[in-house]
Amino acid sequence: MTKICIILPSLNEEQAIGKVIDEIPRQRLEQAGYSVQVLVVDGDSIDRTRDIAQEKGATVLVEPLRGKGNAVRSALKSVDADYIFMLDADNSYPAAYIADMVEVLQRHDVVVGLRSGGSERGAMSRLNLAGNKVLSLLATVLYGRRTRDLCTGYWGFRGDVMRGLNLRATGFELEAELFGQLSRKGHSMAEFPVCYRRRAGNSKLRLVRDGARISWTLISGRFRRL
């Protein structure tokens, strides 16, 4: 069967992780001929995140080095799937879209969730929205490819495409590194409109610090050897 792996980087997400896993359209995907693996990569949570994920049937991998980039790089060491999805474990992105997004991957190498006008009001602060627009513009200028939502946490890949990347990111600069390498390698990317919801629990993003790291990742990645 064609394999789909859904990677959920997590850290203290006991309020949301069960909802995210429940929302994955496993039955629809399996009826379409896919086998589905849910891989929760946990940054050594101190709450019940791992227990809940296991109760919901997910495979749990503990990554002692915290950070989203570390989690995804750790997951890729053991993932051998035809399609790989990555989304946040805070319930802000509806996992139900995966069934439609995998169809987009029949025509493109990568699909990204574009947070659209139908998103929940107040899900993203005005400051975060402005920062994302600035970073998206910087990415567009540097790489000559338009992106309207650089910092989206919802991505789908053909497996061979993602395994062909040389990722170094440790934290929230991951998306910038993904966009940069995919653009430089000439992979086709499609945007898929998704609604965005208020996250459950507290955000780990630190706007100034992480914004600076994302900017530097974009700039340095434009000239770094792939």
Side-chain angles (χ1 to χ4, degrees):
M1 297 180 70
T2 304
K3 299 178 183 178
I4 295 178
C5 181
I6 301 162
I7 301 173
L8 302 175
S10 67
L11 176 63
N12 298 325
E13 297 289 1
E14 66 178 3
Q15 298 180 50
I17 190 67
K19 297 177 183 178
V20 177
I21 296 172
D22 284 344
E23 198 173 22
I24 292 170
R26 184 187 293 269
Q27 183 176 5
R28 180 179 167 188
L29 290 167
E30 290 176 346
Q31 288 175 345
Y34 298 102
S35 65
V36 180
Q37 178 192 22
V38 181
L39 178 58
V40 174
V41 188
D42 184 68
D44 203 14
S45 294
I46 59 173
D47 63 4
R48 295 192 64 248
T49 297
R50 295 195 297 275
D51 294 335
I52 295 171
Q54 290 173 334
E55 290 167 5
K56 295 292 184 178
T59 301
V60 176
L61 173 65
V62 178
E63 172 50 62
L65 295 176
R66 292 186 174 183
K68 187 174 185 179
N70 285 324
V72 172
R73 290 192 296 113
S74 180
L76 290 176
K77 294 176 183 177
S78 60
V79 170
D80 181 21
D82 300 283
Y83 299 104
I84 300 171
F85 283 85
M86 177 189 83
L87 68 154
D88 295 342
D90 58 11
N91 202 41
S92 55
Y93 296 93
Y97 289 118
I98 290 173
D100 294 314
M101 292 172 78
V102 75
E103 294 182 7
V104 178
L105 291 175
Q106 312 308 310
R107 307 182 300 276
H108 296 277
D109 297 326
V110 181
V111 58
V112 297
L114 172 66
R115 289 171 284 188
S116 65
S119 296
E120 185 177 311
R121 188 172 183 178
M124 188 186 302
S125 70
R126 292 183 179 180
L127 192 57
N128 283 352
L129 180 61
N132 187 40
K133 287 185 175 181
V134 170
L135 291 169
S136 297
L137 177 59
L138 177 61
T140 298
V141 171
L142 281 171
Y143 293 92
R145 166 180 277 178
R146 187 187 183 200
T147 174
R148 292 182 288 175
D149 192 0
L150 176 72
C151 298
T152 178
Y154 207 161
W155 294 68
F157 310 82
R158 294 190 183 197
D160 58 336
V161 170
M162 192 169 193
R163 287 188 293 270
L165 302 178
N166 182 21
L167 299 177
R168 304 176 178 87
T170 60
F172 287 112
E173 73 277 14
L174 173 66
E175 287 83 2
E177 186 172 48
L178 287 170
F179 177 80
Q181 290 196 24
L182 291 165
S183 296
R184 291 183 62 189
K185 287 176 175 287
H187 290 298
S188 62
M189 299 173 62
E191 293 178 330
F192 188 92
V194 301
C195 69
Y196 186 63
R197 304 181 290 215
R198 290 178 181 270
R199 64 157 290 138
N202 298 320
S203 174
K204 284 82 176 176
L205 181 71
R206 298 296 177 263
L207 191 60
V208 175
R209 180 196 65 188
D210 290 316
R213 292 183 68 177
I214 293 168
S215 298
W216 174 244
T217 298
L218 287 171
I219 295 168
S220 61
R222 179 64 183 84
F223 307 102
R224 178 180 293 159
R225 179 180 296 179
L226 291 174

